[in-house]
Amino acid sequence: MLLADTNLPTEELQALDAAHHIHPFTDTGELNQKGARVISSADGIYLWDSDGNKILDAMAGLWCVNVGYGRKSIADAVARQMERLPYYNTFFQTTHPPVIALSNTVAELAPEGMNRVFFGVSGSDANDTNLRMARHYWASLGKPEKTVIIGRNNSYHGSTVGAVSLGGMTAMRAQGGVPVPDIEHIDQPYWYGEGGDTDPNEFGLERARQLETAIERIGADRVAAFIAEPIQGAGGVIIPPDSYWPEIQRICDEHDILLIADEVICGFGRTGEWFGSTYYGIKPDIMTIAKGLSSGYLPIGGSIVGDRVANVLEEKGGEFIHGYTYSGHPASCAAALENLRILKEEKIVENVKETLAPYLREKWLELGNHPLVGEARIVGMFGALELSPEKSSRARFKADEGTVGYMCREFCFANGLVMRAVRDSMIISPPLVMTKAEIDTFIGLAVKALDLTHAKLKVEGMMVPA
Ligand SMILES: *Cc1c(COP(=O)(O)O)cnc(C)c1O
């Protein structure tokens, strides 16, 4: 048996990986020809691969390592908890100190009126919980026909059957026999890609009002909830026009529909506020949390449940026949608690809002002047660059969608930077603990990757609009 810290040469590790490990979101045939990059260690905002290359991680893993890598105090808190009580369940009228402490801490941080937490192990299972909880809420109120949940095209809510059904990723929805019944979708508030000549705020209103049209078509007596990410992440860091969220809130209120905010990325400081809902001034009934809750140090997710829903479930719901073996896992709770202590005591969220985000914003928006960039947009530490062969028209490339984004991503990776490509846009969600000097280094690496991509596109005659 190999040890977890095995130090074999890269090619051997790659061969063993290819032989026995199936990767998520991966074309296995393609990867196994090429070999996966082996990430061996990390500290702060940097990763090291098995060949000793240093890589600046502008994605914070998968949008999650908010406090940065190498936090010994989290490892210590987990080790202490593992020794005292590595596991116990919370199903049969039992509880334990870490889950008590974490639910209280999360309730303190959550917006007013959101005081209870249901735990799971990921964002996906939390959204499955939300799907069942929203329907069970209405059933408990004697309205079992209010079952329809409205989501959005190109939204991401995770990869379980329920989460894929709520989400709007076409390619995901085409595999595996989803969706769950009674889920509908409206269009996303993606002005750059779909707004044409419409004024952005006008477009935001139009897209929000699709929710009202859908509710009127389906009947408000049939609709349980609307679910959306405050800012879409995996869909391409899509920042809605300012007009969008207030209108969504109005529509949910007027038609008596629950609002579920999927805060898996936006939560815990990404926007410079503790939650994306606070950033946009909305009042959700349920918020999905995961990722930044533990900065990815251990798996944990859940639902923060507002008083409106929690009180009905308590008074009329009876048994909520739902849960996970690892709901409120003690070691994961210990990791999350120490992560939240770091976020609070180091004033990381305030520092993002007051110092880091304004600095990053200035540099990031300057990239909008690069000849390959059609738009640069950013909120907090959460941004996108739309690559385009023709800035003025926001044109797409003639090459297949995703070709140019992938090319740029490869140039990033080869030059010590992780940015992610979504279609032909480059997206970032770095740790919330960068220094200004690290932001400068990051921007330098991003410019280099853009320059290399631009040069290659010109040589290959690919700076051509579709
Ligand atoms: C990542 C993500 C999820 C899914 O979380 P997992 O922990 O991967 O299951 C759900 N919603 C959003 C907005 C996400 O970004």
Side-chain angles (χ1 to χ4, degrees):
M1 196 175 76
L2 294 169
L3 296 175
D5 59 357
T6 189
N7 206 10
L8 296 170
T10 301
E11 300 77 64
E12 274 180 60
L13 289 170
Q14 288 172 328
L16 290 166
D17 186 69
H20 298 293
H21 176 202
I22 301 175
H23 290 241
F25 286 94
T26 296
D27 177 335
T28 301
E30 185 198 2
L31 176 69
N32 288 353
Q33 297 267 314
K34 193 174 160 189
R37 191 151 184 184
V38 183
I39 304 300
S40 315
S41 65
D43 193 36
I45 64 164
Y46 287 100
L47 309 166
W48 280 266
D49 71 11
S50 53
D51 295 327
N53 295 304
K54 183 179 175 184
I55 309 156
L56 192 157
D57 184 8
M59 280 303 296
L62 266 179
W63 332 80
C64 55
V65 189
N66 289 9
V67 298
Y69 298 96
R71 294 282 188 167
K72 186 166 183 306
S73 69
I74 301 182
D76 290 344
V78 169
R80 279 196 303 276
Q81 186 55 47
M82 296 277 254
E83 284 173 13
R84 181 173 300 157
L85 179 73
Y87 175 74
Y88 200 70
N89 75 75
T90 48
F91 282 20
F92 306 118
Q93 306 193 345
T94 54
T95 189
H96 51 69
V99 79
I100 296 168
L102 184 59
S103 45
N104 279 264
T105 303
V106 170
E108 262 167 42
L109 293 171
E112 213 191 308
M114 304 199 78
N115 292 300
R116 261 62 83 84
V117 193
F118 185 102
F119 288 106
V121 288
S122 72
S124 302
D125 68 55
N127 280 323
D128 279 29
T129 297
N130 295 342
L131 193 165
R132 298 191 64 203
M133 188 184 282
R135 290 175 175 176
H136 181 54
Y137 164 81
W138 289 113
S140 304
L141 285 174
K143 296 180 177 175
E145 63 290 346
K146 266 174 95 73
T147 54
V148 176
I149 302 183
I150 301 175
R152 304 185 300 183
N153 296 323
N154 196 38
S155 64
Y156 187 78
H157 297 301
S159 199
T160 52
V161 169
V164 171
S165 302
L166 294 169
M169 298 283 172
T170 319
M172 280 183 93
R173 294 168 60 85
Q175 283 180 351
V178 292
V180 169
D182 275 0
I183 295 175
E184 307 253 346
H185 292 83
I186 60 171
D187 290 326
Q188 56 180 339
Y190 179 26
W191 179 80
Y192 180 90
E194 300 175 358
D197 295 334
T198 317
D199 165 75
N201 277 321
E202 191 51 42
F203 177 74
L205 287 178
E206 278 174 18
R207 287 291 157 102
R209 284 176 190 153
Q210 281 194 10
L211 177 60
E212 193 153 48
T213 309
I215 294 169
E216 283 163 359
R217 172 173 54 79
I218 300 158
D221 55 342
R222 288 275 291 113
V223 182
F226 174 65
I227 181 166
E229 307 154 78
I231 294 171
Q232 287 154 266
V237 188
I238 291 166
I239 301 168
D242 291 341
S243 59
Y244 182 77
W245 274 111
E247 186 69 357
I248 291 284
Q249 180 79 60
R250 175 192 72 73
I251 293 164
C252 290
D253 291 348
E254 281 182 20
H255 296 274
D256 202 20
I257 305 301
L258 296 180
L259 174 56
I260 305 171
D262 186 337
E263 294 268 3
V264 170
I265 295 175
C266 292
F268 304 103
R270 178 77 29 220
T271 64
E273 300 286 346
W274 278 90
F275 296 96
S277 296
T278 320
Y279 181 84
Y280 284 114
I282 51 173
K283 294 198 180 311
D285 298 293
I286 300 174
M287 300 198 303
T288 322
I289 53 173
K291 296 188 172 128
L293 171 58
S294 65
S295 283
Y297 276 68
L298 279 180
I300 186 165
S303 308
I304 308 183
V305 184
D307 296 345
R308 171 185 180 184
V309 173
N311 291 342
V312 166
L313 294 181
E314 184 170 4
E315 286 156 23
K316 306 189 173 153
E319 181 180 348
F320 185 35
I321 311 168
H322 174 72
Y324 308 104
T325 301
Y326 300 134
S327 284
H329 190 285
S332 297
C333 288
L337 273 167
E338 178 56 16
N339 171 62
L340 296 179
R341 189 197 65 74
I342 291 170
L343 282 170
K344 276 196 289 189
E345 288 188 12
E346 295 184 8
K347 299 199 184 317
I348 288 172
V349 183
E350 292 88 329
N351 191 45
V352 165
K353 183 174 179 168
E354 282 154 24
T355 309
L356 284 189
Y359 189 74
L360 177 61
R361 180 182 180 80
E362 192 190 317
K363 307 270 162 185
W364 189 252
L365 295 187
E366 274 171 23
L367 298 182
N369 300 324
H370 191 280
L372 184 55
V373 176
E375 180 185 74
R377 56 176 180 264
I378 193 162
V379 164
M381 305 286 278
F382 198 18
L385 300 174
E386 296 274 359
L387 307 185
S388 169
E390 193 181 84
K391 235 182 238 300
S392 56
S393 65
R394 315 205 301 267
R396 295 178 200 277
F397 292 93
K398 194 167 174 207
D400 287 349
E401 187 176 76
T403 310
V404 175
Y406 186 82
M407 186 190 291
C408 185
R409 194 196 76 154
E410 293 294 281
F411 277 125
C412 290
F413 228 36
N415 289 282
L417 173 65
V418 176
M419 287 204 282
R420 178 163 157 184
V422 174
R423 300 179 300 276
D424 293 316
S425 62
M426 304 310 297
I427 60 180
I428 57 155
S429 168
L432 307 183
V433 292
M434 298 175 99
T435 61
K436 285 185 175 177
E438 286 172 335
I439 290 177
D440 292 343
T441 305
F442 158 58
I443 294 290
L445 291 169
V447 168
K448 183 170 181 188
L450 290 171
D451 286 347
L452 288 166
T453 309
H454 188 220
K456 181 164 175 179
L457 290 173
K458 280 196 295 192
V459 167
E460 304 203 346
M462 289 173 70
M463 279 299 281
V464 183

